[in-house]
Amino acid sequence: MAELSPQSSADEIVAYLRSIGSEENRRGMLRYGIKIERALGIPHGVQRQIAKKIKRNHERAFELWQTGIMEAQFIASVTADPKRFSAADARQWAASFDSWDIVDGVSDLFVDTDAWKELIEEFAADEREFVRRTAFAMMAWSVVHRKQEPVATFLGFLPIIEAHAADSRNFVKKAVNWALRSIGKRSVEMHGAALAVAERLAQSTDKTARWIGKDAVKELTNAKTIERIAARKG
């Protein structure tokens, strides 16, 4: 089989992915609650290496996405051009989400698009489990990606987090918790605001909101966490 390169076609990439898939890895994915019906069993590290090797190609990325293969879709998200990726594209891709790992991988791309804030609000209001998870995964990723974003943007996410903290679906509540903790760890200013939300949720009569709050309080009041935040600028 030919070595992959930036000139490789979607078909060639898929053929290569099929050749390195692992049934043992597929079974292992089940332990982490990952759906394997569309997966070949290729570690994320290997997928990233492949994406780096084939480089960005926006049109080919959409061809890879259309295969429905989980690994091909992740590679599609890494090799698509975020500046050419529209809100409509994001809606279309999100509509097919069926597992937390593809949500978290592709949300990385969504955060780099121009429509990211609009999508967060829209996806958070969506009742579909994995679409709603996308909103909170995007919040968490935006803390890492959007270095120049004003503090006010992130503080504006806190009411959305609080509004959906009672969603008891496993993959939603974990993402809500992830978003809250991530915002709280970005800066001293955001830490106080996020901790206040976490403490309020920790006192909630709702079981899910209470879990989210208590878990976030635990991390945001940890001495090492506070030390890291204090050492960070902004």
Side-chain angles (χ1 to χ4, degrees):
M1 185 172 291
E3 185 75 11
L4 292 181
S5 74
Q7 287 71 46
S8 296
S9 68
D11 286 344
E12 288 169 337
I13 293 164
V14 169
Y16 179 78
L17 292 174
R18 290 190 185 282
S19 75
I20 63 170
S22 163
E23 185 59 33
E24 184 180 352
N25 286 346
R26 286 181 80 244
R27 289 196 299 270
M29 291 163 71
L30 287 172
R31 294 198 296 271
Y32 298 96
I34 299 171
K35 283 193 172 183
I36 65 169
E37 289 85 352
R38 300 192 295 112
L40 299 175
I42 302 167
H44 264 289
V46 174
Q47 293 176 56
R48 287 193 180 278
Q49 288 170 10
I50 293 169
K52 190 175 181 180
K53 189 176 290 185
I54 65 174
K55 302 194 181 300
R56 184 163 286 168
N57 182 317
H58 196 65
E59 288 72 22
R60 186 184 60 198
F62 278 80
E63 291 178 43
L64 288 171
W65 184 268
Q66 289 299 324
T67 67
I69 298 167
M70 198 79 80
E71 289 86 349
Q73 291 189 328
F74 175 75
I75 291 168
S77 75
V78 179
T79 57
D81 183 351
K83 295 305 176 189
R84 295 173 60 194
F85 199 87
S86 69
D89 293 331
R91 292 184 192 106
Q92 186 177 10
W93 285 24
S96 70
F97 288 163
D98 59 358
S99 189
W100 69 263
D101 61 316
I102 194 66
V103 169
D104 296 1
V106 178
S107 294
D108 217 355
L109 163 66
F110 290 179
V111 166
D112 288 338
T113 67
D114 292 337
W116 72 285
K117 286 183 279 190
E118 165 197 341
L119 291 170
I120 283 176
E121 290 194 23
E122 181 181 322
F123 289 163
D126 197 299
E127 289 297 329
R128 289 171 291 181
E129 181 176 9
F130 291 106
V131 176
R132 181 168 288 171
R133 181 184 175 94
T134 303
F136 297 101
M138 287 177 68
M139 287 183 194
W141 283 126
S142 70
V143 171
V144 178
H145 285 244
R146 294 282 175 172
K147 301 291 188 188
Q148 306 306 315
E149 192 66 28
V151 168
T153 297
F154 299 103
L155 296 183
F157 293 151
L158 293 175
I160 303 175
I161 286 172
E162 205 159 0
H164 295 290
D167 190 325
S168 62
R169 291 174 294 183
N170 189 48
F171 296 115
V172 174
K173 74 176 185 180
K174 287 187 174 180
V176 172
N177 173 262
W178 177 23
L180 180 57
R181 290 183 291 106
S182 297
I183 290 170
K185 291 186 290 184
R186 171 147 165 155
S187 69
V188 171
E189 184 176 358
M190 291 199 289
H191 176 266
L195 181 58
V197 170
E199 288 174 335
R200 199 154 54 241
L201 292 176
Q203 300 301 316
S204 174
T205 55
D206 181 86
K207 181 181 177 182
T208 301
R210 196 162 60 247
W211 174 82
I212 289 170
K214 286 184 174 180
D215 189 73
V217 166
K218 183 179 179 181
E219 180 164 3
L220 295 178
T221 56
N222 179 276
K224 288 185 178 178
T225 299
I226 293 171
E227 192 178 313
R228 281 195 296 270
I229 295 167
R232 202 175 291 142
K233 290 183 180 179

